[in-house]
Amino acid sequence: MCAFFLRNGSKAHHSLHHLCRRRPSIESWNIKNQLQHSKVYSRLPHSFYRKTKEFELSNPSFLAFFSGVSSSASKFGLVGWYLEKLNSRPIITKSITCGLILTAADFSSQTIAGSLLEQYDLTRTLRMAGYGALIVGPSLHFWFNFLSTCFPKRDVITTFKKIALGQTVYGPAINSVFFSMNAVAQGESSSEIVARLKRDLVPTIVSGLMYWPICDFITFKFVPVHLQPLVSNTFSYVWNVYLTYVASQQKVSMV
């Protein structure tokens, strides 16, 4: 009996040993796979690994951010790309956006006024594009950031405070800059600029009180800070159609 168990036990041990040699374990397969990968990657220069490792250590959120941006860009296309640009280059992106919107607004204004049937004023459109890109876009960026810093809450009372500041501070200031810049570009003298401001500024502010409060309420109450200039510029399309029409009026007679 003992001889039987010894003889069969040695056979079982031999079979198990043969099976293990034919079918490697998962651990040995993983080790082999890692060695294969290391052989492939070892062909790259050593400096590549060192720089990559240093960058990952100094920017631990890089991979997560990049994968998130890639995912959103592939998922939402142009919208994802635009949102990524708002995060990486906010002022330039907002400035270009504002310049394009004011270009479209002036084109629409000339179309409504019938100027296209006579002679299209390209200089006027370029002037509006420059005004939007160089003045309105950056100023809106800093203005909305300033308001969100001073008034971080988004309740109704805080929203009305932001609206009041916009109508009493930013609105009159940016409209004064617009009329003055436009008058200077048309070759008007300082006295003519002052006369134009007296004629056009107050009616424009009054007209703005009938349009901007509801737009500002939506913007301040429901829109994130980094998207507020975009929403405000979208609302400003209609406003700038009116504003460019007012600015294109004849200068005040000094007789």
Side-chain angles (χ1 to χ4, degrees), residues 91-190:
I91 298 179
I92 295 178
T93 303
K94 294 170 186 177
S95 298
I96 294 175
T97 302
C98 190
L100 292 175
I101 290 176
L102 264 69
T103 299
D106 183 72
F107 184 84
S108 301
S109 178
Q110 293 194 48
T111 303
I112 295 172
S115 300
L116 294 181
L117 299 177
E118 301 173 0
Q119 184 179 1
Y120 176 67
D121 191 351
L122 178 61
T123 303
R124 170 180 150 179
T125 301
L126 293 177
R127 189 163 61 240
M128 290 299 300
Y131 167 74
L134 299 177
I135 298 178
V136 180
S139 66
L140 281 177
H141 169 79
F142 291 110
W143 175 252
F144 284 119
N145 285 344
F146 167 76
L147 290 179
S148 65
T149 302
C150 296
F151 306 99
K153 295 182 180 180
R154 301 177 69 175
D155 56 283
V156 175
I157 300 299
T158 304
T159 301
F160 279 118
K161 290 179 181 178
K162 295 177 182 178
I163 294 173
L165 282 175
Q167 296 304 307
T168 57
V169 178
Y170 182 81
I174 199 68
N175 286 329
S176 299
V177 171
F178 170 72
F179 285 125
S180 301
M181 185 207 71
N182 190 71
V184 170
Q186 294 180 8
E188 297 183 12
S189 63
S190 58

Side-chain angles (χ1 to χ4, degrees), residues 23-225:
R23 300 185 64 181
S25 63
I26 296 177
E27 289 78 5
S28 62
W29 182 87
N30 287 334
I31 294 173
K32 183 179 180 181
N33 191 35
Q34 291 175 3
L35 290 174
Q36 290 177 351
H37 281 286
S38 64
K39 289 180 180 180
V40 173
Y41 291 131
S42 63
R43 298 174 186 174
L44 295 173
H46 178 70
S47 59
F48 173 81
Y49 296 102
R50 180 172 53 81
K51 293 181 179 179
T52 303
K53 192 66 177 177
E54 291 176 355
F55 182 80
E56 290 178 353
L57 291 175
S58 61
N59 299 273
S61 61
F62 170 74
L63 292 177
F65 173 78
F66 182 77
S67 61
V69 170
S70 301
S71 176
S72 64
S74 61
K75 191 174 182 179
F76 300 106
L78 183 61
V79 176
W81 175 83
Y82 184 81
L83 293 177
E84 191 273 332
K85 292 301 178 183
L86 277 179
N87 290 326
S88 60
R89 296 175 176 240
I91 298 179
I92 295 178
T93 303
K94 294 170 186 177
S95 298
I96 294 175
T97 302
C98 190
L100 292 175
I101 290 176
L102 264 69
T103 299
D106 183 72
F107 184 84
S108 301
S109 178
Q110 293 194 48
T111 303
I112 295 172
S115 300
L116 294 181
L117 299 177
E118 301 173 0
Q119 184 179 1
Y120 176 67
D121 191 351
L122 178 61
T123 303
R124 170 180 150 179
T125 301
L126 293 177
R127 189 163 61 240
M128 290 299 300
Y131 167 74
L134 299 177
I135 298 178
V136 180
S139 66
L140 281 177
H141 169 79
F142 291 110
W143 175 252
F144 284 119
N145 285 344
F146 167 76
L147 290 179
S148 65
T149 302
C150 296
F151 306 99
K153 295 182 180 180
R154 301 177 69 175
D155 56 283
V156 175
I157 300 299
T158 304
T159 301
F160 279 118
K161 290 179 181 178
K162 295 177 182 178
I163 294 173
L165 282 175
Q167 296 304 307
T168 57
V169 178
Y170 182 81
I174 199 68
N175 286 329
S176 299
V177 171
F178 170 72
F179 285 125
S180 301
M181 185 207 71
N182 190 71
V184 170
Q186 294 180 8
E188 297 183 12
S189 63
S190 58
S191 57
E192 290 172 335
I193 294 174
V194 173
R196 178 182 285 274
L197 290 174
K198 290 180 180 179
R199 184 192 68 181
D200 296 337
L201 183 58
V202 174
T204 301
I205 294 174
V206 173
S207 299
L209 290 173
M210 295 184 290
Y211 178 75
W212 278 111
I214 183 63
C215 300
D216 287 342
F217 183 85
I218 296 173
T219 302
F220 290 127
K221 180 66 177 175
F222 303 107
V223 180
V225 177

Side-chain angles (χ1 to χ4, degrees), residues 14-25 28:
H14 179 73
S15 299
L16 289 173
H17 180 71
H18 182 69
L19 181 63
C20 290
R21 291 183 60 186
R22 292 184 60 185
R23 300 185 64 181
S25 63
S28 62

